[in-house]
Amino acid sequence: MPHQGKRDHRTSVRTGAGRRQWAWLGVGALVAGGLVTAVVLAVLPARTPDGVGPDGRTSDRAVAARATAAEAFPGGLARQPSAVNQAARQAAEARADGRDTTAARIDVIADEAVATWLTDPSERATAQTVRRVVRSAEQQDRTPVFVLYAIPDRDCGSYSAGGTSDDAYLPWVRSAVRAMAGSHAVVLVEPDSIAQIHVCERLGHDRLRLLDRAVDELAGHGLTVYLDGGNEDRVPVATMADWLRRAGVDRTQGFATNVSNFYRVDQERAYADRLADAVGDDPHYVIDVSRNGQGWRGTWCNPAGAGLGQAPHVTRGTTRLDALLWVKTPGLSDGTCNGGPAAGRWWESYALALVEHRVRD
């Protein structure tokens, strides 16, 4: 499925029964007249042995107070630096070859804020990418968006197979967290990782426990975290809600939908609202609109006739929808289907078709 080669939140928690442990959650707030550092001391619950109660909910855990959209994405969405902006590199190459018209069309993609996917199992390479993107976002005074995509048995061995080994995943997550800690980055955790349990039974509860532990690693570092909530046509809402709870969604901002997919915003909002109601505790959500400009085209894998969706932006925060994002990088193949190259490879003709069929604001 998807492949790429989701601040001061005034954090508060509601704790369950059991032993308590202290943790510092420190954030800085810049106000007129000087820098004020606000440090919030929160009481967090101890883990249960497996972290899951008999009803499927995480037990004895803190429930995060959700941020507003503006708090989750301070300053708005940051654009990628040129070093990691794949569309910008392709546009530059086209110009160097004298193909100015092609370059201008690719610029339509390159000029938007696109999420940065972290797919390399190397801790060092991942940290370098994160630091580069974070520095650029700080210069823009905007929020970077990262996608963690290196879970073991990624894509259940399909087009985007890969990821880390079982024992390397959490250290890899920690390396990424160290590099982005305090940056107020938004982190979308492992697209497809939950929904694929529906068709790849071997993933099972071990996958949910691993994601739950990854949420633990991400928590308390000034990051806004969204788990992956699939999309309207994959997993029954009640099942997905149960799996999200088991994966630790109660300790995140919420979930993402439509990642690397093509469903219209109105469809995904209706699904996401049903899912949020089923999850409980009022999770927020974001929707990937990078390629949904023409709606569902009959397949998730390089469908013909797809177009860019509306420009990515943060919402006004009057609903649970925090932002419409370009999560998938438009122009990267979904896999060797419908004439595409390997997953995560640039496919110029497809990128140009996405621009041609884009939504006109």
Side-chain angles (χ1 to χ4, degrees):
M1 293 286 285
H3 194 291
Q4 292 285 336
K6 194 22 88 133
R7 159 185 346 174
D8 180 2
H9 288 177
R10 299 193 292 273
T11 304
S12 66
V13 293
R14 300 190 295 276
T15 60
R19 296 179 295 112
R20 301 292 191 265
Q21 60 186 11
W22 295 99
W24 286 98
L25 303 178
V27 292
L30 185 61
V31 297
L35 182 65
V36 177
T37 301
V39 179
V40 181
L41 184 62
V43 181
L44 301 180
R47 292 179 63 95
T48 57
D50 63 1
V52 178
D55 64 349
R57 285 183 175 272
T58 50
S59 58
D60 197 25
R61 296 290 191 89
V63 178
R66 269 78 195 200
T68 66
E71 290 168 337
F73 295 85
L77 301 171
R79 289 180 53 193
Q80 292 176 314
S82 57
V84 300
N85 188 323
Q86 298 181 67
R89 293 202 304 270
Q90 296 298 326
E93 290 181 12
R95 283 194 176 85
D97 293 338
R99 298 185 295 134
D100 291 344
T101 299
T102 294
R105 290 173 180 168
I106 297 174
D107 281 340
V108 174
I109 298 171
D111 289 344
E112 295 292 351
V114 179
T116 299
W117 289 59
L118 304 175
T119 65
D120 194 326
S122 164
E123 293 182 21
R124 180 177 181 181
T126 297
Q128 288 175 339
T129 297
V130 169
R131 286 193 289 267
R132 183 178 291 119
V133 173
V134 165
R135 283 196 299 269
S136 175
E138 288 173 346
Q139 291 168 359
Q140 299 171 56
D141 199 22
R142 295 187 176 185
T143 298
V145 178
F146 293 100
V147 182
L148 302 186
Y149 196 55
I151 200 164
D153 202 3
R154 186 176 64 199
D155 203 19
C156 200
S158 190
Y159 293 122
S160 298
T164 69
S165 62
D166 290 342
D167 60 353
Y169 182 65
L170 292 176
W172 178 84
V173 172
R174 283 193 288 271
S175 71
V177 170
R178 285 194 298 269
M180 64 179 71
S183 67
H184 309 306
V186 167
V187 185
L188 278 57
V189 180
E190 301 295 344
D192 275 346
S193 59
I194 298 177
Q196 271 189 335
I197 297 173
H198 195 58
V199 294
C200 190
E201 293 183 0
R202 71 170 182 259
L203 300 177
H205 298 300
D206 288 343
R207 168 62 62 81
L208 298 176
R209 282 192 288 267
L210 183 59
L211 288 168
D212 183 68
R213 295 179 67 187
V215 168
D216 276 349
E217 299 294 344
L218 289 157
H221 297 280
L223 309 174
T224 298
V225 179
Y226 298 88
L227 288 171
D228 191 76
N231 60 60
E232 63 167 291
D233 196 32
R234 296 197 69 182
V235 180
V237 167
T239 301
M240 178 58 77
D242 175 60
W243 288 346
L244 281 169
R245 290 193 295 263
R246 289 174 180 266
V249 72
D250 58 330
R251 290 168 290 122
T252 71
Q253 176 75 355
F255 55 87
T257 78
N258 207 41
V259 174
S260 297
N261 224 306
F262 301 87
Y263 291 97
R264 299 193 316 266
V265 171
D266 57 343
Q267 294 174 279
E268 283 300 291
R269 287 195 68 171
Y271 162 73
D273 281 330
R274 292 195 304 272
L275 181 57
D277 288 341
V279 168
D281 295 320
D282 205 32
H284 289 208
Y285 58 87
V286 294
I287 300 174
D288 184 1
V289 298
S290 56
R291 304 183 301 174
N292 73 342
Q294 297 300 324
W296 175 248
R297 307 295 298 174
T299 178
W300 61 266
C301 197
N302 299 325
L308 301 176
Q310 59 186 286
H313 63 275
V314 180
T315 69
R316 295 179 180 178
T318 57
T319 69
R320 290 179 291 201
L321 173 62
D322 287 340
L324 301 178
L325 303 177
W326 280 19
V327 181
K328 173 80 173 186
T329 300
L332 298 191
S333 175
D334 294 316
T336 53
C337 48
N338 291 327
R345 296 284 300 276
W346 178 259
W347 187 6
E348 183 175 284
S349 62
Y350 199 77
L352 296 177
L354 289 171
V355 173
E356 179 182 356
H357 298 130
R358 69 187 183 274
V359 162
R360 306 285 180 169
D361 292 333

